[in-house]
Amino acid sequence: EQYFKNADKLGLKERLLSSEKATFIFKKKMNQYRFIPEEFFNPTPTVVYGNMVAIVIWEPFTVIMIENAQLADSFKKYFEMLWKMAKERHEKGN
């Protein structure tokens, strides 16, 4: 919750890609989700901001951070391609 409070104060927005089979998502005003087929979903979260790329490995918990403008740009372009192909999920009551 502290992360969301800080992000809200800073006016941060997140666009997240998740699996179509996802059963849990954070329902926060800062989050916008789209969904891709399970077969193409990558369970290794990658965060791109500015010239930084952070790759999260869950077991053992490891974060690899790389500062490189070209790499960040490549990941951004890949994300934008997936975002355009992904689908919105309209849930009842929303």
Side-chain angles (χ1 to χ4, degrees), residues 8-31:
D8 191 43
K9 284 181 188 177
L10 295 171
L12 298 180
K13 303 284 184 206
E14 291 181 333
R15 291 189 301 158
L16 303 105
L17 291 168
S18 191
S19 163
E20 288 176 337
K21 292 185 178 183
T23 58
F24 176 82
I25 60 171
F26 291 103
K27 294 183 180 182
K28 303 290 184 182
K29 64 181 179 179
M30 66 178 285
N31 298 128

Side-chain angles (χ1 to χ4, degrees), residues 47 49 51-56 62-68 71:
V47 180
Y49 54 97
N51 291 335
M52 297 295 296
V53 177
I55 301 167
V56 179
T62 307
V63 178
I64 301 167
M65 297 185 69
I66 304 168
E67 184 174 8
N68 182 284
L71 182 65

Side-chain angles (χ1 to χ4, degrees), residues 56-78:
V56 179
I57 301 167
W58 295 115
E59 292 291 332
F61 185 73
T62 307
V63 178
I64 301 167
M65 297 185 69
I66 304 168
E67 184 174 8
N68 182 284
Q70 289 179 317
L71 182 65
D73 187 57
S74 294
F75 271 93
K76 287 174 189 176
K77 287 177 181 176
Y78 180 65

